[in-house]
Amino acid sequence: METIAVYKEERVKVYTITEKADLALALLRFPANKTEQWGLHIDSFAAHTKRFELVTCHASDKARTELHLLLEQNDSNELSDTLSELIKDEPNTAFTLKQPVNILYLFGPHFQDRYGIVDIAFNALLKNGIDILVSGCAGTSMYFVTSKSQSGKGLKVLTDTFLIPTTI
């Protein structure tokens, strides 16, 4: 016999919600059979940047892959120049750079154990007209990349939607 429990909070509790500003979002689209090659290129870029704030990759279909790299704006020119040079001789490969963008972070606890939290965040942002350029989730974290102009409103929407308990 299996017991299933459902836990519902009136306002979902999170540890914190933060924003990081003035980033650049690089989007690279390439044939799926070139994933290993582009992975090696991206690995070599890491040596030239302070860090990537977020890296997501997904297949838009079986033939194409999309790679999103979020990095500091001051590292974006070198990355852009390098990628533009690399894709010249690569058929069906494209690169775009969006900047400035900001990222909104939500931290824990254990989102994977609490059904529907991602849905609550997405719905709150979309209902309030916030365009999500890229998102990602991991165990205790959610990431939403927005345009710089929408980030402040997005942060307010999330802080109004979620509860951050405080200790006195």
Side-chain angles (χ1 to χ4, degrees):
M1 179 177 191
E2 181 179 357
T3 301
I4 299 173
V6 176
Y7 175 69
K8 179 115 171 113
E9 298 169 294
E10 191 172 314
R11 272 182 72 201
V12 175
K13 294 177 188 82
V14 298
Y15 294 145
T16 188
I17 302 170
T18 60
E19 172 185 36
K20 186 162 184 182
D22 300 320
L23 301 169
L25 176 62
L27 171 60
L28 180 64
R29 291 183 182 97
F30 53 88
N33 64 353
K34 300 283 188 168
T35 301
E36 182 178 0
Q37 171 189 329
W38 282 105
L40 293 171
H41 287 312
I42 298 308
D43 190 42
S44 72
F45 300 147
H48 303 290
T49 62
K50 289 179 190 168
R51 63 177 276 175
F52 291 116
E53 285 294 323
L54 181 67
V55 176
T56 64
C57 184
H58 70 275
S60 56
D61 57 44
K62 290 185 181 200
R64 297 193 45 81
T65 297
E66 290 186 359
L67 180 66
H68 303 96
L69 303 167
L70 189 66
L71 64 157
E72 297 284 339
Q73 268 189 287
N74 58 2
D75 291 331
S76 66
N77 286 339
E78 184 176 348
L79 178 70
S80 181
D81 292 345
T82 303
L83 285 176
S84 295
E85 187 62 33
L86 287 170
I87 68 170
K88 281 183 181 176
D89 299 322
E90 292 290 332
N92 302 313
T93 302
F95 165 70
T96 56
L97 185 67
K98 295 180 182 181
Q99 58 184 348
V101 298
N102 292 1
I103 188 167
L104 304 172
Y105 298 98
L106 281 83
F107 293 106
H110 307 291
F111 293 135
Q112 73 270 23
D113 295 337
R114 299 162 69 209
Y115 179 77
I117 294 174
V118 172
D119 190 51
I120 292 167
F122 266 104
N123 284 331
L125 291 168
L126 295 175
K127 182 176 117 183
N128 285 279
I130 307 300
D131 296 321
I132 301 166
L133 303 174
V134 175
S135 64
C137 296
T140 59
S141 303
M142 284 188 270
Y143 312 91
F144 299 99
V145 178
T146 68
S147 67
K148 182 175 181 169
S149 64
Q150 291 188 323
S151 181
K153 181 179 177 184
L155 183 62
K156 178 159 180 20
V157 165
L158 292 174
T159 56
D160 289 346
T161 301
F162 293 94
L163 178 63
I164 303 171
T166 57
T167 57
I168 298 176

